[in-house]
Amino acid sequence: AATAARAATGDPAREAGDLRAALAAAAAEITALAERSDGEAADILAFQVAMLEDAALAEGAFHAIEAGIPADHAWRQALAAEIEGYEAAEDEYFRARAADLVDIRDRVLAHLTGTAGLDVVPRGAILAAEDLTPSRFLATDWSAGGAVVLAGGSPSSHVAMLARARGVPMVVALGETPAGRVALVDGDRGVVVVEPGPQTRQAFEGRMEEAAAAGAAALAFRDRPAAMADGTPVSVLINIAEPAELDGLDPAICDGIGLVRTEFLFHAGRGLPDEEAQLAVYARIAAWARGRPVTIRTLDAGGDKPIAGLTVQEANPFLGLRGIRLSLTRPEVFRVQLRALARAAVHGNVKVMLPMVAVPAELERAGALLDEAVADLKAAGLPHARPPLGIMVEVPAAAISATRFPAAFYSIGSNDLTQYTMAAARDLGAVAELNDAGDPAVLALIASTVAAGAARGVEVSLCGDAGADLSLLPKLLATGLRAVSVAPVAVARVKAAIARC
Ligand SMILES: C=C(OP(=O)(O)O)C(=O)O
């Protein structure tokens, strides 16, 4: 939130009004939080509300606005001076208040820049909870840092995957959380140290420095094409779950986008997105890649990804009406997405991918609907192209007999393929050990999919989290796999690991 851009109105009266509204909204938000808190947390929040309601805090900002400075800049400048003052204080109590001011600054900025509604996790804070939904995670601004510890959950759940993609340290299935206490979160080892002593802190800081150094060394690989030790090229693509992940990212670091999860469009809480709204997003993503392939997955709702107005409650949601099954039962919704994708195809190298395909008839029916959408667009004179149609291989039935599917490409969804092969739900900590993508049974299905791709002469990539598991990469490449799609933050270290294979 502290860095989001805002378009200034150029009118000091409106800018002042916007700042007043943002101050009031932030105060109301913190008051509501304080009402749900107790102890020290409630005291800190009450202090923040008092600061916000003190007219002196924003006085400098309102003067700057009168002089023509936009509201967000004026507020940032005014707070910078205050924060500096507190940071320089002799008294430890006052120094500690600087963090509260940073929190207040960011909340008000979130309202000014339209990212309000996002919870801002302050620097160094750990979110402790029983569990966390993917949409709640996405509604939180992690740009300042922060970590998550969960009493429940599982390392292969969607929320864990989102945290990995954004580099947010998360430890799950703790049984209980250290709420309200000081802790160190070690996401690499899955360890939380509560009330660490000075030696533990020092050792931890040393490891953080080492990790930063290893990350810096891997960075040298990020901008080059990936190749194994003997020079064999390997494609490294990226996965994204929302277009904001592309902001500031250079497409030259990857060979394209191997997976765009489109669920974010349907989570916005404004009903199902229409064709124009979808087209705008897909076209933007396609154009970003500058000619590189962009594989957009059709809606993969259901399972642990419920969508209001679309999915239904089921006893076994992972085995139910999800992915392509749901799209085929709601053709009026599916058609809108297919039309938007065909229209976006003129903006770049778009490929369309179907999730949860179990039988060839699903691919055939989706292909017929895509053909219909293309014919309608042609009749309406709208620019379009027919994108190649491929499938996710994530149901064992498809992996065992992939050659039966006349798909333009295969993309192995190792997260779901693992849960279905091992019969171990990806969101359940109790069976997390069984949910192992490196199990020989899962690797055998990956190898058979790679062989099917070779037999049919179509591309095979892997877009599940296994692709970024450095200890698993050598085994994946040993199956003949030559394309992986990983979170943007993982590109450098995956390329570095491929070079060691
Ligand atoms: C990439 C995958 O899809 P998702 O994690 O979005 O279900 C997968 O199952 O491996």
Side-chain angles (χ1 to χ4, degrees):
T3 53
R6 169 181 178 270
T9 63
D11 171 1
R14 279 180 63 193
E15 293 292 307
D18 282 358
L19 179 56
R20 260 191 298 278
L23 288 166
E29 200 174 72
I30 303 174
T31 305
L33 262 179
E35 279 163 8
R36 282 185 269 133
S37 314
D38 50 26
E40 205 186 348
D43 293 346
I44 291 171
L45 293 168
F47 170 82
Q48 292 192 355
V49 175
M51 296 273 288
L52 264 176
E53 287 175 352
D54 181 353
L57 185 72
E59 205 182 330
F62 284 114
H63 285 316
I65 289 174
E66 272 169 30
I69 309 275
D72 51 338
H73 290 283
W75 171 249
R76 207 190 292 269
Q77 275 170 16
L79 267 280
E82 288 283 334
I83 292 166
E84 232 173 77
Y86 273 91
E87 277 172 346
E90 295 271 305
D91 187 306
E92 198 186 326
Y93 173 82
F94 281 106
R95 279 204 306 276
R97 298 279 74 80
D100 289 315
L101 277 173
V102 170
D103 197 9
I104 290 173
R105 179 197 64 194
D106 289 351
R107 266 185 204 277
V108 173
L109 277 174
H111 284 278
L112 276 172
T113 55
T115 48
L118 290 186
D119 281 331
V120 179
V121 177
R123 193 173 300 282
I126 301 169
L127 178 75
E130 194 49 42
D131 207 347
L132 186 64
T133 61
S135 59
R136 192 89 185 87
F137 180 88
L138 288 173
T140 303
D141 179 355
W142 300 96
S143 57
V148 185
V149 294
L150 299 181
S154 146
S156 40
S157 66
H158 270 104
V159 72
M161 186 196 77
L162 290 172
R164 257 193 299 280
R166 282 162 188 70
V168 177
M170 175 185 273
V171 178
V172 300
L174 284 170
E176 59 180 45
T177 62
R181 301 171 67 191
V182 172
L184 298 174
V185 177
D186 183 341
D188 282 341
R189 294 184 181 169
V191 169
V192 177
V193 185
V194 182
E195 307 289 0
Q199 276 186 345
T200 311
R201 278 185 188 226
Q202 210 182 357
F204 192 85
E205 274 158 21
R207 284 196 46 235
M208 279 172 70
E209 276 166 27
E210 273 169 31
L219 265 189
F221 289 85
R222 198 192 57 184
D223 301 338
R224 311 185 203 145
M228 291 160 68
D230 67 356
T232 306
V234 175
S235 297
V236 176
L237 303 104
I238 58 167
N239 295 342
I240 61 163
E242 53 180 344
E245 287 179 65
L246 299 177
D247 292 347
L249 198 67
D250 181 355
I253 68 159
C254 64
D255 296 299
I257 305 183
L259 168 63
V260 178
R261 294 180 163 99
T262 56
E263 292 72 56
F264 70 90
L265 276 165
F266 295 76
H267 275 144
R270 289 184 291 269
L272 302 178
D274 66 19
E275 185 176 320
E276 297 302 324
Q278 293 193 46
L279 169 61
V281 174
Y282 303 150
R284 192 183 133 205
I285 298 172
W288 172 88
R290 300 205 200 114
R292 295 171 185 81
V294 172
T295 312
I296 304 181
R297 180 174 73 185
T298 63
L299 181 65
D300 189 19
D304 61 341
K305 292 178 276 192
I307 288 177
L310 207 55
T311 51
V312 287
Q313 288 245 334
E314 295 168 320
N316 284 314
F318 280 123
L319 301 182
L321 204 54
R322 57 169 301 204
I324 188 65
R325 304 169 182 185
L326 183 69
S327 290
L328 290 173
T329 58
R330 297 291 299 268
E332 76 288 4
V333 176
F334 196 26
R335 258 190 212 107
V336 175
Q337 187 166 37
L338 292 174
R339 280 174 60 101
L341 287 166
R343 289 177 67 188
V346 295
H347 296 273
N349 183 359
V350 172
K351 297 155 90 174
V352 174
M353 174 158 86
L354 306 171
M356 274 296 282
V357 172
V359 291
E362 289 162 331
L363 171 61
E364 202 181 305
R365 287 177 60 199
L369 284 171
L370 180 59
D371 287 338
E372 256 176 46
V374 165
D376 289 349
L377 292 169
K378 191 169 177 201
L382 289 166
H384 67 279
R386 190 193 193 280
L389 192 59
I391 62 167
M392 293 273 290
V393 177
E394 52 187 346
V395 177
I400 290 166
S401 61
T403 49
R404 289 193 303 145
F405 297 77
F409 59 90
Y410 302 129
S411 177
I412 301 169
S414 55
N415 305 337
D416 274 332
L417 185 61
T418 304
Q419 86 161 340
Y420 293 125
T421 306
M422 304 306 295
R426 56 192 281 184
D427 60 351
L428 198 60
V431 293
E433 266 183 48
L434 275 175
N435 189 299
D436 173 15
D439 187 276
V442 181
L443 289 172
L445 291 185
I446 291 173
S448 91
T449 308
V450 171
R456 289 197 48 242
V458 300
E459 252 173 58
V460 181
S461 60
L462 182 143
C463 64
D465 280 16
D469 179 338
L470 305 192
S471 59
L472 206 53
L473 255 178
K475 290 183 186 165
L476 295 177
L477 297 178
T479 66
L481 185 75
R482 293 292 176 263
V484 289
S485 191
V486 301
V489 290
V491 167
R493 64 179 131 85
V494 166
K495 286 186 176 181
I498 289 171
R500 293 193 293 270
C501 284

